[in-house]
């Protein structure tokens, strides 16, 4: 839940506070940082806004943002969410989207990130330098550098061939840092913000039940999260409470099983504890759910289950794995003590396919669904715990 409150520090400033996932963010807003801007976006208005806020007493807000980021070890994506919430307090998005975007751009650049603004007809386009493989949002090349569009979702679909963005020339020499979409740490949500979800599945004629603690805020964090590269995607962790409600129970259940049976158990859990539905049917486009989102959601597809299965095997067994990408499917193969079925040979090692998505056949470890046996695949991710290197 997000709430805010304001109290006055002096006649010229006020203290603004709001809950942000694992804590309360407070900052002093001097009256000078409340800069006006018209509803209609224009280069002249953006430059005027910048000339006024650049000489305002904005530094206390910037220090508060930086201190909160460092204290809570926020990755760039979560830090950007904090900037979004802060900008919302200063200029509500629904009241003046142009001014709200200007605030976001200003605080992101003043935090060191190479962010830019452009105009596409009457639309304000906000983008940031990024060196990663992001596949489902537009990017622009400027001086040989790639910039990802941060506010594409706010406009739905934009045809940038018809609405060509023209950069707004705003001087920010200190803004050189590339933005990263990697999320390697989830917030420590408050325990009282979690709810329990019942999960169950059958394995070897026995029913297994779990009460997993899940936080609805996980959905808002990743609502506009793009389709990232597989290394980034497969390494998004669970939050603390969700981890504690599930992983120890799975460890306890599998600790007396052989390695093969334990992996088979996790494979069947990932297959049958959730209902299957394709992303196109749910979202109308490709969307990869994080492991925690998959636990939270009623439906998921092969990408989501592959990421969850990878996470479970990594946490419980920490075995080498590869992700196999087919034209219309993705699955995981695990390096077991003894390879099963028809192994996949990769860099001199044998990996057994462990299909975490339900198929028409009841596949055992080492078996590949009939429809994929003659299809080409790519190894799009390799996890090797012995060297702690991934590729």
């Amino acid at each position: 839940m997000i709430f805010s409150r304001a109290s006055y520090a002096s006649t010229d400033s006020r203290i603004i506070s709001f809950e942000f996932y694992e804590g309360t963010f407070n900052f002093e807003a001097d009256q000078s940082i409340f800069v006006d801007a018209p509803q209609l976006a224009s280069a002249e208005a953006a430059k005027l806004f910048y000339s006024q806020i650049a000489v305002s007493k904005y530094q206390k807000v910037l220090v508060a943002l930086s201190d909160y980021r460092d204290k809570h070890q926020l990755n760039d994506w979560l830090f950007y969410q904090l900037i979004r919430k802060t900008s919302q307090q200063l200029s509500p998005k629904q009241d003046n989207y142009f001014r709200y975007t200007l605030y976001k751009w200003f605080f992101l650049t003043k935090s060191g990130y190479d962010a830019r603004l452009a105009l596409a007809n009457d639309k304000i386009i906000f983008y940031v330098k990024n060196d990663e493989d992001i596949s489902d949002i537009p990017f622009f090349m400027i001086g040989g550098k790639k910039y990802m569009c941060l506010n594409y979702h706010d406009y739905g679909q934009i045809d940038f061939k018809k609405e060509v963005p023209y950069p707004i020339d705003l001087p920010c020499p200190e803004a050189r840092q590339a933005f990263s979409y990697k999320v390697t740490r989830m917030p420590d949500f408050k325990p009282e913000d979690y709810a329990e979800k019942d999960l169950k599945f059958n394995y070897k004629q026995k029913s297994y039940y779990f009460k997993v603690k899940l936080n609805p805020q996980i959905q808002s964090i990743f609502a506009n999260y793009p389709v990232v590269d597989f290394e980034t995607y497969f390494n998004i962790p669970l939050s603390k409470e969700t981890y504690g409600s599930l992983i120890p129970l799975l460890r306890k259940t599998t600790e007396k099983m052989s390695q093969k049976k334990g992996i088979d158990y996790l494979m069947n859990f990932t297959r049958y504890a959730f209902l299957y539905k394709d992303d196109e049917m749910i979202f109308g486009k490709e969307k990869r759910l994080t492991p925690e989102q998959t636990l939270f959601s009623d439906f998921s597809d092969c990408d989501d289950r592959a990421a969850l299965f990878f996470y479970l095997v990594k946490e419980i067994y920490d075995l080498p794995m590869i992700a196999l990408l087919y034209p219309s499917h993705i699955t995981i193969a695990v390096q077991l003590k003894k390879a099963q079925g028809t192994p996949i040979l990769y860099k001199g090692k044998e990996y057994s396919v462990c299909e975490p998505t339900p198929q028409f056949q009841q596949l055992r470890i080492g078996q590949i669904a009939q429809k994929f046996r003659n299809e080409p695949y790519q190894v799009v991710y390799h996890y090797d715990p012995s060297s702690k290197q991934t590729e």
Side-chain angles (χ1 to χ4, degrees), residues 177-288:
Q177 184 176 333
F179 183 89
S180 174
Y181 286 93
K182 293 184 184 296
V183 177
T184 58
R185 181 189 177 277
M186 293 302 299
D188 288 331
F189 299 112
K190 296 176 182 179
E192 60 268 26
D193 290 339
Y194 282 80
E196 287 188 333
K197 179 180 179 180
D198 293 325
L199 294 177
K200 62 180 181 178
F201 80 110
N202 295 324
Y203 180 71
K204 304 291 186 183
Q205 288 77 52
K206 182 178 179 180
S207 296
Y208 291 85
Y209 299 88
F210 302 88
K211 284 189 176 295
V212 183
K213 293 183 179 180
L214 298 167
N215 194 314
Q217 294 181 75
I218 202 75
Q219 298 291 63
S220 65
I221 287 177
F222 292 102
N224 299 312
Y225 191 69
V227 175
V228 294
D229 62 86
F230 284 102
E231 191 226 340
T232 298
Y233 177 50
F234 280 118
N235 286 285
I236 298 174
L238 297 177
S239 64
K240 184 178 179 181
E241 292 289 326
T242 299
Y243 185 100
S245 68
L246 178 64
I247 302 301
L249 289 177
L250 290 175
R251 280 203 183 108
K252 184 176 181 181
T253 303
T254 58
E255 64 183 358
K256 295 182 180 179
M257 297 179 180
S258 66
Q259 183 190 79
K260 176 187 171 184
K261 186 176 180 180
I263 297 293
D264 188 59
Y265 175 84
L266 296 179
M267 182 177 72
N268 279 272
F269 168 79
T270 314
R271 277 185 198 170
Y272 301 118
F274 321 95
L275 296 175
Y276 179 88
K277 189 175 285 189
D278 188 79
D279 283 342
E280 288 290 336
M281 297 177 65
I282 305 173
F283 306 106
K285 64 175 184 178
E286 170 71 7
K287 184 174 178 62
R288 295 175 186 161

Side-chain angles (χ1 to χ4, degrees), residues 298-361:
D298 292 329
F299 302 98
S300 51
D301 70 358
C302 60
D303 299 274
D304 315 324
R305 293 161 195 262
L308 176 60
F309 177 71
F310 171 88
Y311 185 85
L312 298 179
V313 173
K314 180 182 176 183
E315 290 300 315
I316 296 172
Y317 290 101
D318 203 22
L319 294 171
M321 287 177 277
I322 54 176
L324 309 177
L325 181 64
Y326 292 85
S328 61
H329 186 61
I330 188 168
T331 191
I332 300 293
V334 183
Q335 186 183 326
L336 303 172
K337 292 177 182 177
K338 183 179 179 181
Q340 303 294 311
T342 304
I344 303 292
L345 188 64
Y346 183 72
K347 292 193 172 182
K349 304 290 185 180
E350 291 186 328
Y351 293 80
S352 302
V353 173
C354 299
E355 179 54 69
T357 303
Q359 303 294 324
F360 289 115
Q361 310 105 306

Side-chain angles (χ1 to χ4, degrees), residues 30-307:
D30 186 84
Q31 189 62 36
S32 64
I33 71 171
F34 291 91
V35 178
D36 200 10
Q39 295 277 352
L40 185 64
S42 71
E44 293 74 18
K47 291 176 181 179
L48 179 59
F49 176 93
Y50 177 71
S51 68
Q52 292 177 319
I53 198 169
V55 296
S56 72
K57 297 179 180 179
Y58 66 84
Q59 290 82 2
K60 288 185 178 180
V61 182
L62 204 61
V63 169
L65 286 167
S66 177
D67 288 348
Y68 195 94
R69 174 181 59 186
D70 295 344
K71 178 181 177 181
H72 296 281
Q73 303 172 37
L74 301 182
N75 295 126
D76 290 353
W77 178 252
L78 287 171
F79 183 57
Y80 174 57
Q81 307 312 307
L82 179 63
I83 288 177
R84 286 180 63 240
K85 298 293 184 183
T86 301
S87 301
Q88 177 71 10
Q89 296 296 319
L90 300 174
S91 177
K93 178 178 179 179
Q94 64 275 18
D95 294 345
N96 190 323
Y97 181 76
F98 177 45
R99 185 173 57 187
Y100 161 76
T101 306
L102 291 173
Y103 274 114
K104 288 196 300 178
W105 166 82
F106 180 77
F107 287 119
L108 195 60
T109 55
K110 288 299 179 182
S111 298
Y113 295 90
D114 186 357
R116 308 290 181 95
L117 292 172
L119 288 174
N121 291 339
D122 61 344
K123 299 178 177 66
I124 184 72
I125 308 301
F126 179 34
Y127 46 103
V128 66
K129 180 184 174 186
N130 174 264
D131 300 324
E132 298 161 342
D133 181 15
I134 311 297
S135 61
D136 68 330
I137 53 177
F139 67 88
F140 309 95
M141 297 301 297
I142 303 174
K145 301 174 183 177
K146 185 181 69 171
Y147 292 80
M148 304 303 303
C149 184
L150 278 171
N151 67 333
Y152 182 65
H153 58 275
D154 287 331
Y155 294 113
Q157 297 294 319
I158 306 177
D159 187 346
F160 284 119
K161 292 182 180 179
K162 294 181 179 179
E163 298 187 77
V164 179
Y166 291 96
I168 301 174
D169 184 19
L170 292 169
C172 292
E174 73 273 31
R176 298 180 178 179
Q177 184 176 333
F179 183 89
S180 174
Y181 286 93
K182 293 184 184 296
V183 177
T184 58
R185 181 189 177 277
M186 293 302 299
D188 288 331
F189 299 112
K190 296 176 182 179
E192 60 268 26
D193 290 339
Y194 282 80
E196 287 188 333
K197 179 180 179 180
D198 293 325
L199 294 177
K200 62 180 181 178
F201 80 110
N202 295 324
Y203 180 71
K204 304 291 186 183
Q205 288 77 52
K206 182 178 179 180
S207 296
Y208 291 85
Y209 299 88
F210 302 88
K211 284 189 176 295
V212 183
K213 293 183 179 180
L214 298 167
N215 194 314
Q217 294 181 75
I218 202 75
Q219 298 291 63
S220 65
I221 287 177
F222 292 102
N224 299 312
Y225 191 69
V227 175
V228 294
D229 62 86
F230 284 102
E231 191 226 340
T232 298
Y233 177 50
F234 280 118
N235 286 285
I236 298 174
L238 297 177
S239 64
K240 184 178 179 181
E241 292 289 326
T242 299
Y243 185 100
S245 68
L246 178 64
I247 302 301
L249 289 177
L250 290 175
R251 280 203 183 108
K252 184 176 181 181
T253 303
T254 58
E255 64 183 358
K256 295 182 180 179
M257 297 179 180
S258 66
Q259 183 190 79
K260 176 187 171 184
K261 186 176 180 180
I263 297 293
D264 188 59
Y265 175 84
L266 296 179
M267 182 177 72
N268 279 272
F269 168 79
T270 314
R271 277 185 198 170
Y272 301 118
F274 321 95
L275 296 175
Y276 179 88
K277 189 175 285 189
D278 188 79
D279 283 342
E280 288 290 336
M281 297 177 65
I282 305 173
F283 306 106
K285 64 175 184 178
E286 170 71 7
K287 184 174 178 62
R288 295 175 186 161
L289 302 181
T290 70
E292 194 154 345
Q293 284 181 291
T294 299
L295 293 170
F296 185 91
S297 301
D298 292 329
F299 302 98
S300 51
D301 70 358
C302 60
D303 299 274
D304 315 324
R305 293 161 195 262

